[in-house]
Amino acid sequence: DFSGIDAATPGGTNFSLCYVGQEITAAGPDSETAITFHLQSKVTSVQLNSNGVSTSRILQAPRNDFSVLLFGDNIADTDAVSFIPDAEDCPTQAATALDLTHTSAVTVASSVGSFVWPNCKPTTSGVPIVMDSAECPTIGFYRLCYNDGTTIETGISAYIQQVTTIELTAAAHLAEPTFTGTAQQYQAFGANFVHEVFEPFNVTVLLKDSNGVACCEGTKVFISMTKAGVDASSDLYNSDSSNANADKIVLADSSGVVTFQNYTIRNTAGKYFYFTVSVASANLTIPSTAAGVANVGFTVRPSKLTQTTTLASEYIVGADGDNAAAVLPSSILVEAQDRYGTVLPGLVTADDYHCEAMLMTAGSGLDSYNGAVASPPDSDYGGVQGAVTSTDLTPSTVQSGSTNVIFNLGVATLSSLKVVKQAGMYFSIKYTLTEHAGTTGAAVVGTPLSTTSDNAAVTSPTSYTTVAFSTTFIVSPARMKISWGSTPTDYTSTTFPFVARLDGVVSTAPSADAPNVDGLPSSLTVTLLDADGATLTSAACTSCFVARLVKCDDSTPTNGTLNGDGVTIGDGHLLPACVGQAVDSSEHDQMAGMSQARCATTGGECTAFSDYEQTLSSSSDTVSGTTVAVVAGVSSWTGLQARYTFGSGFLLRFVLNPTNSTFENLTTVHTAQNGQMFLPDLGTANGGSVTAQYNSMLIRPFALEVAQHPGGDGVDLDGLATPVQADGTVNTPDGVGASQPFRVQPAIAVKGMGTSSEYYFEHAWDNHGHLPVTAVIRSDTCGSDCVNKGLVLTGTTSTGVSLTSLTATARVETGTNDALANYSGSGGTSDVELAYQGVMSKVGFVWQDLKVLTRDSDTGFEGLKLRFVCGYDTDNHQTWVSATQTTYTAVDSGYFDVFTAPSVPLNLHVLSYGELGFRVQFDPGEIVRLKPLSGFIVEVDFCSQSGGSCAVQADTPAWPQIGVPSRRLYSDFHTGGGRVEEVALSYYPTTPAVATEINITMYPKEHIYGGDTIQISLNLPGLWRAADYSGSCAIEGAFVNYFTGLTFDNVTSVLTLTMVDGKRIPRGQPVSLRLPSGCEFIYPSREMSFAAGVNLGANQTQTNLADYQSSRYGSSVLTPLQHAFAYVTGSTSSTSGDNCKNDTCTVSSTHVLPSLQDGSSMDVSWSGTQQFGGVGSACYQQIDAPFDTSSTFPYRRFCAMAGTGSNDPDANDDVADNTGNVYVTTNFGNSGDNGAPIGQNPGRGGKVEVFSPIVAVTTGTTLTDTSSSCRAGTNAQNPCALPAGEDFNEAVTLNYTWTNGNVTAVLVGVTRESFISPGQVFTVPFALTSNAAGAASSVDCTATLVSTSVVQEGWTCAWTESSGNGNLVITAGTSIAPSTAVQIQTSDGAVTLTTTSVLPPTTLSLVNTGTSRVSYIFKNGASAATYTSADGDPVGTYSASSSTITIAADDILSFRVFAYNGRFKSDTTTTPVQSRAITKPDDPAYFSEVRQSSVGVQLSYGSTSAGEATNITIQAQFAEDLINGSYVTLNLAGFTSASIVRDIATGHTQFSTAQWNANLTSLVLKVAEGETAVALTDYTIVIPASAGILYPSTGTAPSSLIALIATYTISWVSPFPLTSKPRKGFVIQTTTDRNWLTDIQTTVVEDKLNNGVYDKILFDYLQADVTDTQLTITLSDPTQVGPSFDWLVGELVMVGQEVMRVESASGGTLGVRRSRLNTAAVPHTAIVGGGTCACDSAGASSGTPDVGLLCDCTPVYVVYGQATNAQVGRFDGYDTLIGTAG
């Protein structure tokens, strides 16, 4: 440890080293080691060349000049520093003079000592020149000396090290250093590298020591260059343009890396170049022997060649009698130069660089160059012709790599050149540098547009030298012929094409080059001929031949004239005659009867109607492919197609060497006859070789695009769950009404094909040719059987299906060469041809009044398509317009449906709702593609109540004495509504297309009497039965004897049953009926997949089920109803039934509620936000192309519908006011009844300028979440609608499982008065509650029936969250009968709920039917609407009414609902029962008594010792049953205990536990869970002494007392209910909170007074006498005569005046509990009257009674307890002490 030791002076201090160890324990003589050391601080560390790396030990120094930076105490500039060999000492050797081992003492400057060996530099002689190692310092260790007046040993050493290896650092080609010159970046100097003179480059090397480690920072590294063994360093320049050797030395950096950057080679070129990189005693040659062949080196090339001899401007083939030769000057000079144009004298003969001459042409791809003379390197200059051969330029040696023309002193000379067998303009000679004689192996002809020559002997792709070019000259051609195909085939007169596709592409069948297949042939060839017709085989010019599209001046044929094929125009042939065509040199365009075709639209280089060049091109973007080269006397156009125009009367024109290729009126530099020709060929007199049969072509469109698909009504096929490709747009309707003009008429646009996309014809330039178009049904979409399906496409008056025909009559196709249709009628008032359509701003066609006729009003069809076709002979085009028939262009519309009226609404149910209000509920019928649904209209009839309409019944048998006014029928005092019951339906078997039995289950909420009729709608299309069914259909099951008169209406699908007279069904009794399979109700097939020929039942032979179903419901999946409503009506003479008996409502007035729609009328469900209001909305004012695929209907759709009864009240679409608008033919143009937003404003079918003024828009009202306010009647809108599917909500009970403070399971209990059906959803809310895992689409849960513990399958649960609140969502999987308790238990751990609120024991769950049920609520003062229907316009004149609907109490209303879509309305659904307008019942008058129940008990004690614990025996008998949870409280004054005692076990079954409150001295007995303390039964309960209750310390405990029971008796008086104020019962609330804020408990007590104080119904007759104590009664055995009595368990029955509760049922024996409802148990006889009286099982009496008596049978009634106390007053609860009659 040297801490604390320091030099006493900068010069240093001597120290001795002592040792203290295990035996030597202290410093002293024994610790001397005789070792001393010297410690100095003058120089403490140094750095080499100030590199920032300090050392205090050994410095690594280079073997050349270097410096050290000194650190220490007081380093001064006057001091000296030196290095000496390590074996010497500083005091004696520090100042030794400079030599290879001594530096001499140098003066310190700025703490730096610099050491220099001046002669350590490159040698001045020898090859190669390298660093002179003899004059560089010696390798070895040196010590650093310092002198500040005194020489000091610093203790610091240096090691001068030798570079052993120089390596190239780059990993590039042959591991040579990376070349980074501007033009040749990333190439490597190697044996086969060619470097351009004067081009900058880098060379990088790495220095290493003998151990292979990078070393030697600061080492001088020198680079030199040799050529062919001679020093050429003077031609090597550094980045400062110095070639001095001293300026080409670079120091190694700290990593041993050296880079020679931006060096150049100048003034020379050639081969055998080397670099030598050297340091003292080491060097590296580049390239090394390992990098390539020894003594090869690398190559330096010239930058460019330059011709110095001038040529003439033109040479003519045939001069001097040689038809194929042109003679050039005898001597032509070419120089090799650097980039600055300086000749390179260093390039000598020994380098063996040759000059090759090549023939080429010029002119930017167009030989008609418009400059004075095209000369390279002009930007318009072309390229070397690859077809040039050795015979085209003589002598042949000049165009071969073996030419003997060699550069010497940088110059090459060529002699005696000739051009042979060529024709064209602007020929030139190209001079190319070749490196080695004979190494190319053939002519070096380069590539087109190449301006550099490739040194062929090397492989580097960068070895190019700019070539030299001669000036240009012209060679004139002879005449031509035309051929077609990739293997040219000469045209004959009959093989020229007469149809070509615009922008066509090569087809693959039947032949890629066949005429009329697709576009023009893949290749067109024109051959240059000499005067003898021989091909000028060596003629080759670039861009010298131009093709153009021209058009006959008479391209639109006229009816009655002959067309091009000699047929009278008007029969469908489209080729015009094109007479007067000729080549005429006197014309400005050298043509007669023809003109240059012009662009019919913009695109590519077509920008104005006067543009023309782009009409023929191989590219849609630019004018290209029309100008081609001539190769071997032949020119070929590949991919040449007509562009940006179409129609009839076109030709191709070919012009050789035009004077100006940009002119519209093109002319050739040659004579007119020799410089051009046509396709079809017009003959030898017109520059061709053969005369074609047709003298023009028809150019059919590349494509037709559907700019608007048929539709505008019905279902959005693209938006279906399984989309159908219609118009490709979601939220637009894709249907048309059967036999109705399409609301959205089809429109097509003409299209061409650009480079990457198609283009339109967007201008009214009228430069295209005449071309009709035809529309037909694509027959394969109707199964190639449109005839039998009765489908016909037809126009109305404006536009037919074609130019000449109104209707495309259906055909049966055989599949081979079938015409799509027969045509009939005139073509309509508008020509059906392709023309500019202002409404579309495109060329195409827009139909105005097409429609599809169907067989009848019930028949629709799914998935039709229209096909639109144009082309040659249009009226006879073939079925498929396929690859084998390509003379036409066709396009198909998307799929569309032909639909009919919507399905009839189902399950209409109207309830009185609130005061003077009603809740109209119904389910949408089947919503399918062929029966789309837009909305519903609800109509309300007010019934007269006089003259036999809804007559008042005079008798009121239930209350004859009390003066209550005569009532109307049935439910007047209870609900005011019509009688509706819910039924469940099931089917077996469910085999598609097979007869099924129907099981009907009902739990009636009201009694059903003999004569009552029940109507049940089974729902079309859920089930079918043939209209001509004649079989036998009888009810089966336990109720077979209860009903008669079964009928089924095949049209309405309504089943009607009539109760047998004398039969009765009490409310609550389960009713099960079965219609057997013999009734031939056919179960529907999934997706209509019926086998052909399946008929409607075994007895039927005519009606085919598949045809019936598919024509009406398409491919939809149909399911029969699972639940329905049954309407119950009494006979006209009965006092039970609905208000008007279904047939006696005389309508006094009718009102229409606002129409009701859901969020979208274009889907197949009734869902989403509902809305109501007006219908119809403005369509778009134009047609967009491309077709818009993102907008919501009617935006971006042009409704060009023509038809009667439009709902458009706007005169802007009236014919008389818009005579200039071709689309205004009648009132049409709106969106129809197609969903949001809806309103009164019509759509616009016509021009924009006629739309002033614009009428105000009346939109429909969108209802957001109106559920709670609508239910409560607080909604500002009257009427209002609940969200789709919402039903009456349901209270549920909740129990929780807690784990670690969180709820991990929830038990939900629900009992619903109506059926729970599969798919019904219960949403149980939990405020401020969240699940640890968040929302969960599946929560494991189990549903169980409470009564039977049977697990229900298919029930599912989920958890949702929103805004911090949670919901448990339960979806029913099975049908649950009304009033049946079901529990849903989530699995423990399925949720982990955390709440910041109090979790409730009960809550209100939101119920959704899952059937999209509609609930429409309205009340007095509701808004009204008006409408009238017209053909194709179901609610066309719909408008909101300024009046409102006035409803008065006791008004009787009848309801009907119909569905409508954009074209049709359904049949109506009507309630066979009526509803009465009611108000709220009168308030109860007052409470007459409120008292708590009590019971007298007897007490005895085990011990009576004061203050001792004692048992207490309690004896009691209760007047009423005490159910589980009931409390009995005994006040035991004087008794004490040490504390409150909980859960005292009594051992008693009913009272199993007790609680003792020492503070109140009260003992509380509780009835155990699941137990009942039965009335009038003796109970003894013992409280054990172990409970610790102490006998009173003074006095005597009571032997009896009055115990209080936690039940209360409330008595009150209420007015009698009236028909306008019916009463269902009472709501009783209790609380312990005087402010009524908390602890409010509610119970409901029924009070139904229709049939007296007891709501009772005769059920059966006693079959045996009953004693006053007997606990059974005997009735007729139901197993023999009817349904089981099991349902009576828990119900009340009345025999005589005694009420009994049924405890059990076995056959005809009922176990009962006697004397219920404060009635007394008395004996009952089955037969009354004495004598010989007798009764049968049906209650019919016989025999002779005792005198004064009558024989009678004792009836048994089912009785239903309610609020009114029968024991009060004289008349069963009518309190005459307080109230008065009436």
Side-chain angles (χ1 to χ4, degrees), residues 315-328 391-392 394 418-422 475:
Y315 297 93
I316 300 173
V317 174
D320 299 325
D322 189 342
N323 289 337
V327 180
L328 302 180
T391 60
D392 296 335
T394 61
K418 292 183 180 182
V419 177
V420 297
K421 294 185 294 183
Q422 289 284 2
V475 177

Side-chain angles (χ1 to χ4, degrees), residues 1422-1576:
S1423 300
T1426 62
Y1427 79 95
T1428 56
S1429 295
D1431 180 31
D1433 203 356
V1435 290
T1437 61
Y1438 177 93
S1439 64
S1441 174
S1442 59
S1443 63
T1444 58
I1445 302 174
T1446 300
I1447 304 173
D1450 256 345
D1451 279 348
I1452 297 178
L1453 280 65
S1454 186
F1455 294 82
R1456 60 180 168 272
V1457 181
F1458 69 81
Y1460 66 90
N1461 55 37
R1463 287 301 191 182
F1464 311 102
K1465 59 185 285 189
S1466 71
D1467 292 333
T1468 59
T1469 292
T1470 303
T1471 54
V1473 295
Q1474 287 71 44
S1475 299
R1476 186 184 300 273
I1478 61 175
T1479 59
K1480 65 181 179 181
D1482 289 328
D1483 297 338
Y1486 64 90
F1487 284 105
S1488 61
E1489 181 182 15
V1490 178
R1491 60 184 174 84
Q1492 184 175 2
S1493 300
S1494 61
V1495 63
V1497 298
Q1498 301 296 318
L1499 301 173
S1500 61
Y1501 311 98
S1503 171
T1504 58
S1505 299
E1508 287 188 3
T1510 181
N1511 61 4
I1512 303 172
T1513 300
I1514 304 164
Q1515 293 178 310
Q1517 186 183 85
F1518 304 99
E1520 297 291 340
D1521 292 348
L1522 300 184
I1523 63 173
N1524 62 314
S1526 298
Y1527 295 95
V1528 179
T1529 303
L1530 290 74
N1531 186 8
L1532 301 177
F1535 283 79
T1536 61
S1537 68
S1539 63
I1540 292 174
V1541 184
R1542 302 183 186 278
D1543 297 330
I1544 303 170
T1546 67
H1548 194 275
T1549 300
Q1550 282 74 29
F1551 297 93
S1552 59
T1553 59
Q1555 317 290 329
W1556 167 252
N1557 190 322
N1559 297 323
L1560 301 177
T1561 65
S1562 63
L1563 180 68
V1564 180
L1565 305 178
K1566 179 181 179 182
V1567 179
E1569 182 176 357
E1571 296 293 332
T1572 298
V1574 179
L1576 306 179

Side-chain angles (χ1 to χ4, degrees), residues 909-910 943 945 948-953 967-972 975-981 1006-1009 1011-1015 1126-1146 1452-1455 1470-1476 1619 1650:
H909 183 201
V910 181
C943 299
Q945 299 183 49
S949 173
C950 302
V952 174
Q953 296 290 328
R967 63 185 174 90
R968 287 160 177 83
L969 300 178
Y970 193 62
S971 56
D972 341 332
T975 63
R979 174 71 183 280
V980 179
E981 297 288 354
E1006 302 295 341
H1007 312 311
I1008 302 176
Y1009 297 94
D1012 288 353
T1013 60
I1014 300 175
Q1015 296 182 21
Y1127 304 103
V1128 183
T1129 58
S1131 64
T1132 305
S1133 61
S1134 72
T1135 58
S1136 65
D1138 73 315
N1139 288 291
C1140 299
K1141 300 298 183 186
N1142 195 26
D1143 61 355
T1144 58
C1145 172
T1146 300
I1452 297 178
L1453 280 65
S1454 186
F1455 294 82
T1470 303
T1471 54
V1473 295
Q1474 287 71 44
S1475 299
R1476 186 184 300 273
T1619 57
N1650 290 343

Side-chain angles (χ1 to χ4, degrees), residues 1217-1554:
D1217 295 336
N1218 296 280
T1219 56
N1221 188 342
V1222 297
Y1223 292 101
V1224 179
T1225 59
T1226 184
N1227 289 343
F1228 65 95
N1230 62 31
S1231 68
D1233 316 314
N1234 286 287
I1238 53 180
Q1240 206 171 332
N1241 191 36
R1244 301 291 188 250
K1247 300 175 182 177
V1248 176
E1249 57 264 27
V1250 304
F1251 296 153
S1252 180
I1254 299 297
V1255 297
V1257 175
T1258 303
T1259 60
T1261 301
T1262 297
L1263 306 181
T1264 54
D1265 183 10
T1266 62
S1267 177
S1268 58
S1269 59
C1270 185
R1271 290 173 186 271
T1274 58
N1275 195 297
Q1277 294 168 323
N1278 179 19
C1280 61
L1282 301 184
E1286 276 205 8
D1287 202 3
F1288 287 95
N1289 295 332
E1290 194 66 62
V1292 297
T1293 62
L1294 299 170
N1295 287 281
Y1296 309 95
T1297 300
W1298 296 84
T1299 304
N1300 298 325
N1302 296 320
V1303 172
T1304 55
V1306 180
L1307 176 64
V1308 180
V1310 59
T1311 304
R1312 192 159 172 79
E1313 289 186 3
S1314 58
F1315 277 100
I1316 296 176
S1317 56
Q1320 202 167 71
V1321 178
F1322 296 82
T1323 300
V1324 183
F1326 293 86
L1328 303 177
T1329 302
S1330 61
N1331 183 27
S1337 60
S1338 177
V1339 172
D1340 188 49
C1341 64
T1342 302
T1344 307
L1345 294 184
V1346 174
S1347 59
T1348 62
S1349 299
V1350 175
V1351 174
Q1352 303 299 292
E1353 300 296 332
W1355 287 60
T1356 62
C1357 298
W1359 179 266
T1360 63
E1361 292 186 0
S1362 176
S1363 302
N1365 301 313
N1367 298 286
L1368 182 63
V1369 181
I1370 303 168
T1371 302
T1374 56
S1375 180
I1376 304 295
S1379 303
T1380 301
V1382 61
Q1383 290 183 336
I1384 300 92
Q1385 173 73 65
T1386 67
S1387 299
D1388 195 14
V1391 293
T1392 302
L1393 304 183
T1394 303
T1395 183
T1396 58
S1397 177
V1398 176
L1399 292 177
T1402 62
T1403 191
L1404 191 66
S1405 71
L1406 308 179
V1407 180
N1408 193 291
T1409 63
T1411 60
S1412 302
R1413 177 161 297 167
V1414 179
S1415 295
Y1416 203 18
I1417 298 173
F1418 75 101
K1419 57 188 176 182
N1420 181 37
S1423 300
T1426 62
Y1427 79 95
T1428 56
S1429 295
D1431 180 31
D1433 203 356
V1435 290
T1437 61
Y1438 177 93
S1439 64
S1441 174
S1442 59
S1443 63
T1444 58
I1445 302 174
T1446 300
I1447 304 173
D1450 256 345
D1451 279 348
I1452 297 178
L1453 280 65
S1454 186
F1455 294 82
R1456 60 180 168 272
V1457 181
F1458 69 81
Y1460 66 90
N1461 55 37
R1463 287 301 191 182
F1464 311 102
K1465 59 185 285 189
S1466 71
D1467 292 333
T1468 59
T1469 292
T1470 303
T1471 54
V1473 295
Q1474 287 71 44
S1475 299
R1476 186 184 300 273
I1478 61 175
T1479 59
K1480 65 181 179 181
D1482 289 328
D1483 297 338
Y1486 64 90
F1487 284 105
S1488 61
E1489 181 182 15
V1490 178
R1491 60 184 174 84
Q1492 184 175 2
S1493 300
S1494 61
V1495 63
V1497 298
Q1498 301 296 318
L1499 301 173
S1500 61
Y1501 311 98
S1503 171
T1504 58
S1505 299
E1508 287 188 3
T1510 181
N1511 61 4
I1512 303 172
T1513 300
I1514 304 164
Q1515 293 178 310
Q1517 186 183 85
F1518 304 99
E1520 297 291 340
D1521 292 348
L1522 300 184
I1523 63 173
N1524 62 314
S1526 298
Y1527 295 95
V1528 179
T1529 303
L1530 290 74
N1531 186 8
L1532 301 177
F1535 283 79
T1536 61
S1537 68
S1539 63
I1540 292 174
V1541 184
R1542 302 183 186 278
D1543 297 330
I1544 303 170
T1546 67
H1548 194 275
T1549 300
Q1550 282 74 29
F1551 297 93
S1552 59
T1553 59

Side-chain angles (χ1 to χ4, degrees), residues 14 232 260 381 641 657 693 700 709 791 800 802 853 1344 1429 1529 1724:
N14 292 322
F260 300 92
Y381 200 72
Q641 300 295 340
N657 289 329
Q693 178 183 6
R700 63 183 178 93
H709 295 265
L791 300 174
S802 73
L853 304 179
T1344 307
S1429 295
T1529 303
H1724 303 282

